[in-house]
Every structure is written in C-alpha cells, then in structure tokens.
Amino acid sequence: MTTTHLPRTGRGPIVEVSDLRKAYGGRTVVDGLSFTVEEGEIFGILGLNGAGKTTSVECIEGLRVPDSGTIRVAGFDPIADRAEVTQVLGAQLQESALQAKLTVREALQLYSAFYPRPLDWRPLAERLGLTAKLNTRFGMLSGGQKQRLFIALALLGSPRVVILDELTTGLDPRARRDTWSLIEDVRDSGVTVILVTHFMEEAQRLCDRIAVINKGRVGALDTPEGLIGRSAGSTVISFTPSQPINEEILAALPGQATFDSKDGRVTLSGTDETVNAVISLLAQSHIWAYQLRVTDATLDDAFIDLTKA
Ligand SMILES: Nc1ncnc2c1ncn2[C@@H]1O[C@H](COP(=O)(O)OP(=O)(O)OP(=O)(O)O)[C@@H](O)[C@H]1O
C-alpha cells in the first residue's frame, strides 16, 4: 500500500537535503541522503544506532561540513549562509551546553541576547510551564524541566524550523507525554519540527511523515500509516483453529505479508482483505477460531521490518 502524503500546510519545502555524503576517517556514514521537509509538518527521522541521523541533522544545523551534496534551509546553505540559517533554524541544545549554576531566567535572558528579534521569553516560559522555575539553577531541574527549557531556548529566536534530537530520552512516561503535547503545540503555532527519535510510539503519534535512515540512506519515507502499511502488513490476525488448517491454503490468502503457524496458533499479518478471507475460510470449513485477535500493526513492527539486515 502506498500512501500519498499531502503537506499539512501546502506552504512548500523548508528543508531540502540532496545527495548528502559524510565520512569520518574514510568510513562513510551518510551515503547519498536525500529528503525534503515541508513547512508546517513534524518530520521524523528514525534509524538504528549509528545510521547517521545525528550526523545528518548536524549538517543541516551547519555544525558539520558535508563532504558533498546540497542542503537548503529556507533556501539558505547552512555553511555559506550561516547567519541567515541561524535566524530561521532553532536547534535543541545538548545538556553540556548549559552551566549547572545558571538559573532558568539567566539562561533565557542569555540566549535572548543571541538573536536580533527574540521572542519575549516570559510568555514562552509560561507556555512551557517554567515560570515557577525561573530562579532554579539548571543543575537542579528534573529531566522533564530541562527538556522544557531546551524547547524554550530553541524557540527563542522565533525560528521557522526546530530540530529536536532524542528530546524525550530519559524522561518518565508522563513527562514524555507532556513533551509530546508541547511539540504538537509548537507545530500548531506554525513552526516546522524535525524530530530524531528512537521511540516508535512517539514517532507514530507525532510525525506527519517519517524518513527511516538505513546505513546513511533513506530506506523509506512515508506517513506513519504508510510505513506500517507498506511493511509487514497493517493488520495482525491470530487464532487457534479447532482443527488444523492446510498451511498452503493459509499461505495463499490474499493481502498478507507474513504467515506463521506455531504450537497450533496461526498468526498472519496482512490487510482487511486478509481478515475477511480468514473469516470466510473458517466459516466454509466449519472451523472454530479460539482466542481470535485482530490488532493493528504498529510502527515498531514496521521499523523492525524496514531496518532488517
Ligand atoms: N566525530 C566523529 N568521528 C568519527 N566517527 C563519528 C563521529 N560522529 C559520529 N561518528 C560515527 O558515525 C556513525 C553515525 O553516527 P551518528 O551519531 O550520526 O548516528 P545516529 O544515527 O545518530 O546514531 P544513534 O542513534 O546511536 O544516536 C557512527 O558509527 C558513529 O560512531
């Protein structure tokens, strides 16, 4: 199944990466990467450890110099047009970038001074739930509060795009969900978000489109639903038949991606067509299906499938 993505906003591309290549000490880690991020979307970047995600986003941020390829951020080159890119792009800081003794207020004031037309940090702090923490030193903040501060600092320059790299790593489930709402708020305020994450639930819930990076290349690019649909099958059907079913008949059912029969339990992944075919087969053969389960495949299933060696 192929899903055609329509940009949420129709405002056109804001980040364009074309045939990006980067090697470290002769070892290629980004190998001809190309993708386009539409303005107004949350664009996810997924991939196994070492796939080249951080290297790629650091090239977009102008923190690393590509060996070849082109990158445009709102039409600007991150290296040649550094000043212009700094005005349109907000990047999440790494924890080491802030001194532990700096208070939240001081950090917001300091980073405001970096931009010619910064947002007023007070309402921003309010929106991010940081007002009560303004006098707290960075080193005393919880993981979730630090992430809120990083989002605030990334938004201070009123960017058109923010890059968030593993923003929710280390957060408890509640703080992670709060952060997701914040990211949606950011997107709803018109800012494009590029999100690098290892959390499939996060990507499935937040991202409009996702690039799965495999060994420095785009292995797949689609909406979360599109990725799920095009990999292992969008629906998983499992049941224990009251009598054995000929495996050749099961394997020939329409729309299915995978088939497994173990210890008397049958598991198929496929489409709605597969579900209907299973039901018809069972009815025609007068077979009972015990513990029949029909579940949606998840992005997790799709990711494992798409990053198989
Ligand atoms: N400065 C560097 N010098 C040498 N090798 C590097 C450097 N930075 C990254 N690498 C290597 O390049 C490869 C890609 O790293 P990168 O951080 O881009 O991957 P990633 O997809 O972000 O991984 P992760 O999910 O683990 O964060 C890795 O093998 C890493 O060890």
Side-chain angles (χ1 to χ4, degrees):
M1 186 177 84
T2 308
T3 305
T4 308
H5 171 76
L6 295 173
R8 293 175 69 90
T9 62
R11 283 189 274 165
I14 181 125
V15 174
E16 297 166 274
V17 176
S18 177
D19 203 18
L20 181 68
R21 286 169 203 275
K22 177 79 184 169
Y24 295 114
R27 192 168 67 90
T28 300
V29 300
V30 179
D31 190 15
L33 191 77
S34 301
F35 60 82
T36 300
V37 180
E38 302 291 332
E39 184 150 33
E41 71 176 339
I42 301 181
F43 186 88
I45 298 183
L46 305 183
L48 297 173
N49 289 131
K53 303 178 297 295
T54 297
T55 301
S56 304
V57 295
E58 287 184 349
C59 288
I60 297 171
E61 291 164 353
L63 298 176
R64 292 194 187 275
V65 183
D67 294 338
S68 64
T70 49
I71 300 177
R72 291 291 176 270
V73 179
F76 299 112
D77 180 322
I79 301 294
D81 310 314
R82 177 125 192 82
E84 288 84 352
V85 169
T86 308
Q87 297 308 311
V88 290
L89 185 97
Q92 166 205 345
L93 293 173
Q94 298 304 310
E95 184 156 347
S96 56
L98 283 183
Q99 285 189 6
K101 287 191 174 164
L102 212 60
T103 65
V104 169
R105 176 184 284 103
E106 286 165 348
L108 290 163
Q109 287 171 336
L110 177 68
Y111 278 79
S112 295
F114 295 159
Y115 299 101
R117 286 175 301 281
L119 292 178
D120 183 350
W121 58 262
R122 291 166 194 81
L124 190 60
E126 180 68 33
R127 192 173 127 213
L128 290 166
L130 287 168
T131 305
K133 296 287 166 192
L134 286 176
N135 295 324
T136 306
R137 295 186 194 284
F138 176 71
M140 301 302 287
L141 295 175
S142 72
Q145 290 158 353
K146 283 179 183 165
Q147 301 297 36
R148 284 163 184 271
L149 178 58
F150 289 143
I151 295 179
L153 296 178
L155 293 174
L156 261 183
S158 194
R160 287 170 63 189
V161 195
V162 283
I163 298 183
L164 306 173
D165 192 349
E166 297 192 30
L167 183 72
T168 65
T169 301
L171 297 189
D172 66 47
R174 172 167 296 208
R176 178 168 300 131
R177 275 163 197 278
D178 287 350
T179 309
W180 293 353
S181 302
L182 287 174
I183 295 171
E184 285 172 331
D185 284 353
V186 169
R187 189 263 314 274
D188 293 345
S189 71
V191 178
T192 307
V193 179
I194 298 179
L195 186 71
V196 180
T197 182
H198 282 299
F199 293 104
M200 298 300 130
E201 192 192 348
E202 176 170 302
Q204 191 170 349
R205 147 106 187 243
L206 288 179
C207 297
D208 297 300
R209 291 188 308 147
I210 294 171
V212 179
I213 311 285
N214 221 345
K215 298 183 183 138
R217 290 166 166 267
V218 174
L221 198 165
D222 209 329
T223 58
E225 299 72 28
L227 289 178
I228 294 166
R230 74 156 82 172
S231 62
S234 53
T235 305
V236 178
I237 310 135
S238 61
F239 59 95
T240 304
S242 56
Q243 60 188 74
I245 307 177
N246 184 325
E247 293 203 357
E248 280 180 22
I249 296 177
L250 283 173
L253 289 174
Q256 72 170 302
T258 61
F259 159 72
D260 186 38
S261 177
K262 208 157 93 191
D263 301 331
R265 189 147 183 91
V266 174
T267 305
L268 302 145
S269 75
T271 61
D272 285 347
E273 202 187 352
T274 320
V275 181
N276 284 313
V278 167
I279 292 167
S280 301
L281 173 69
L282 293 171
Q284 282 164 13
S285 318
H286 304 288
I287 295 174
W288 280 88
Y290 295 106
Q291 292 173 311
L292 175 71
R293 304 276 182 273
V294 179
T295 52
D296 288 338
T298 62
L299 190 58
D300 218 71
D301 300 319
F303 180 80
I304 299 293
D305 196 47
L306 290 165
T307 54
K308 272 198 299 237

